[in-house]
Amino acid sequence: MSRTLKSNEGGCVGGSRGFTLIEVLVAVGLAAALSAALYSTFFSISGASSRAGKTVDSYIEAGYFLDRFSREARASYYRRTNELTFFNGGRVGDSSAVSFTTMTWPVVSKDAPSSDLTAVNYYVREEGGRKDLMKEVWNPFQTEKYAVEAVEDIKGFEVSFFNGKDWAGAWDASLEGQTPRAVAVTVTLGSGEQLSATARTMIR
């Protein structure tokens, strides 16, 4: 004996019914909104990670510079009787600049005598609104200089000099007759963080 299936009020056989057009549109809209939120969150996290990585790189770069600068300042060398030696520092624009001769490993060149004396110059280069701390290195017996970026994308570079009693923002060894007793340097990174170091000069 056969039985006839009766449809429910919605008109669907077996009690199931399909999605209406409005329900489909709502579902698609919710999926799109969720995708947009996830997309935005992903790129926000990715951007934050990239910025954090750049900050860490800046800290490492600045730390290496401070260590290197301190060693060079401790070994700075000046003699009135040696015209190849010097120690000068002061303001250039809104940042500091400092240059001096320092005793380091021998510099060998086919065009100049081998020497333990090296000249260094630190200054800020500004291009397109960005500031980079630059370092020039050369053999005092020659004039050719080699320049590299010591710390990229900084906000400030400050150097001060200690004469044994007071700190000053400028120094000229040809007037003072000697190198400063100590040198303090501060680098302000692009993030606004400041890293500092102080080095006592050892060669009197």
Side-chain angles (χ1 to χ4, degrees):
M1 182 176 179
S2 63
R3 299 178 61 186
T4 303
L5 296 175
K6 294 182 179 181
S7 62
N8 59 15
E9 294 180 358
C12 292
V13 178
S16 64
R17 66 189 189 90
F19 294 106
T20 65
L21 179 59
I22 293 178
E23 290 173 329
V24 172
L25 291 176
V26 169
V28 170
L30 290 174
L34 180 59
S35 297
L38 291 174
Y39 181 86
S40 174
T41 301
F42 170 78
F43 279 97
S44 252
I45 294 173
S46 177
S49 175
S50 176
R51 288 191 295 273
K54 289 181 179 178
T55 300
V56 171
D57 289 343
S58 295
Y59 268 99
I60 294 173
E61 194 174 49
Y64 178 79
F65 155 72
L66 291 174
D67 177 67
R68 184 66 181 174
F69 180 89
S70 296
R71 283 187 284 152
E72 292 171 342
R74 284 195 294 269
S76 59
Y77 178 81
Y78 171 76
R79 289 292 181 273
R80 285 184 182 274
T81 55
N82 187 343
E83 61 180 12
L84 296 177
T85 63
F86 54 90
F87 197 119
N88 304 310
R91 304 290 298 182
V92 177
D94 59 356
S95 301
S96 294
V98 59
S99 58
F100 54 90
T101 43
T102 179
M103 303 300 291
T104 182
W105 56 84
V107 177
V108 180
S109 172
K110 64 179 182 180
D111 299 322
S114 174
S115 173
D116 292 333
L117 192 64
T118 297
V120 295
N121 177 31
Y122 289 97
Y123 64 97
V124 173
R125 180 187 67 187
E126 185 170 0
E127 290 182 356
R130 167 175 160 158
K131 295 180 179 179
D132 296 314
L133 178 58
M134 303 297 296
K135 176 182 181 178
E136 286 182 328
V137 183
W138 69 97
N139 185 329
F141 293 96
Q142 297 178 304
T143 57
E144 184 179 358
K145 299 180 180 180
Y146 176 68
V148 295
E149 293 176 344
V151 186
E152 298 180 353
D153 193 16
I154 65 171
K155 285 186 176 180
F157 175 59
E158 300 294 328
V159 183
S160 53
F161 312 93
F162 187 60
N163 62 11
K165 294 182 179 179
D166 303 301
W167 288 91
W171 192 271
D172 187 340
S174 65
L175 299 177
E176 302 289 343
Q178 61 183 355
T179 61
R181 296 285 179 174
V183 185
V185 59
T186 298
V187 178
T188 304
L189 304 179
S191 61
E193 298 290 335
Q194 291 187 333
L195 283 79
S196 303
T198 302
R200 291 187 58 187
T201 55
M202 305 300 291
I203 305 174
R204 308 309 304 168

